[in-house]
Amino acid sequence: MDNKIIIVGLITLIIFLSGCIQSDASKIDGLSTSINLHLKNGDGYFNNASYDTNKFLYDAALSNCDNATSEFNQARTFASQGVTYATNSNDTVYINYMQYVLDEIDAKINATSELKTAIPYLINNDTINANNHLGNANGFMNKATDFNSQREAIVKQNPGKFK
């Protein structure tokens, strides 16, 4: 009788623990909502900063740059966790996908930094340096778009892995 109780107890414990354990893939799926939310917010702030810069609203532009940087950094924190989960899964699809996410975020952080650097030059009418940094910002955003396209291609090629 004691053996039956022990066996039932062990089976119950195993079932309970298996429900508590998440795979690395499910952890990545869980992070994607947070990453996408912070990317969306960061993109909005960056676009507002660009708009404000074009309208000579430099204080507002700088504030929006700060907000964009904060959002992109939060997305980067989650994406770094995702890279760790992907690496632990040893699944090259997830590894490549998460690396593209991280690369996209880094490009957006760099673009925001370049825009923020350009604003004081604009304030001082130093158009040569301002345009140099604005060009760099555009270049980084173009790279971010390329990384986004590459990760979307991975999703299309592997629909069973992404929800």
Side-chain angles (χ1 to χ4, degrees):
M1 187 69 154
D2 288 333
N3 286 340
K4 288 182 182 180
I5 294 172
I6 292 173
I7 291 172
V8 170
L10 283 174
I11 290 172
T12 304
L13 181 64
I14 290 169
I15 291 171
F16 174 76
L17 290 176
S18 67
C20 294
I21 298 172
Q22 284 186 309
S23 71
D24 290 319
S26 67
K27 290 176 184 176
I28 292 169
D29 288 340
L31 290 174
S32 65
T33 301
S34 297
I35 293 168
N36 289 331
L37 175 66
H38 289 295
L39 278 174
K40 181 180 176 184
N41 290 343
D43 287 344
Y45 285 122
F46 181 87
N47 290 338
N48 289 341
S50 297
Y51 177 82
D52 291 339
T53 300
N54 288 331
K55 295 293 183 182
F56 309 106
L57 302 170
Y58 298 127
D59 289 337
L62 289 169
S63 177
N64 279 310
C65 283
D66 289 339
N67 291 334
T69 299
S70 176
E71 290 291 336
F72 291 142
N73 281 330
Q74 289 178 30
R76 191 178 198 298
T77 298
F78 289 117
S80 293
Q81 289 175 351
V83 168
T84 299
Y85 295 147
T87 302
N88 290 342
S89 75
N90 286 324
D91 187 321
T92 56
V93 171
Y94 286 125
I95 292 168
N96 291 337
Y97 177 84
M98 288 309 304
Q99 189 57 55
Y100 285 133
V101 171
L102 199 57
D103 291 342
E104 177 185 350
I105 294 167
D106 285 342
K108 289 181 177 189
I109 290 170
N110 288 332
T112 306
S113 176
E114 288 290 335
L115 177 58
K116 187 174 180 178
T117 301
I119 293 170
Y121 288 118
L122 290 168
I123 291 169
N124 293 322
N125 293 318
D126 183 348
T127 56
I128 292 172
N129 283 316
N131 287 337
N132 183 40
H133 289 286
L134 292 172
N136 290 341
N138 286 332
F140 280 119
M141 273 304 181
N142 288 336
K143 286 181 183 180
T145 300
D146 291 341
F147 291 130
N148 182 274
S149 296
Q150 290 171 320
R151 73 179 172 110
E152 286 178 1
I154 289 174
V155 171
K156 286 181 184 176
Q157 294 166 359
N158 302 280
K161 290 190 181 257
F162 298 94
K163 296 177 185 179

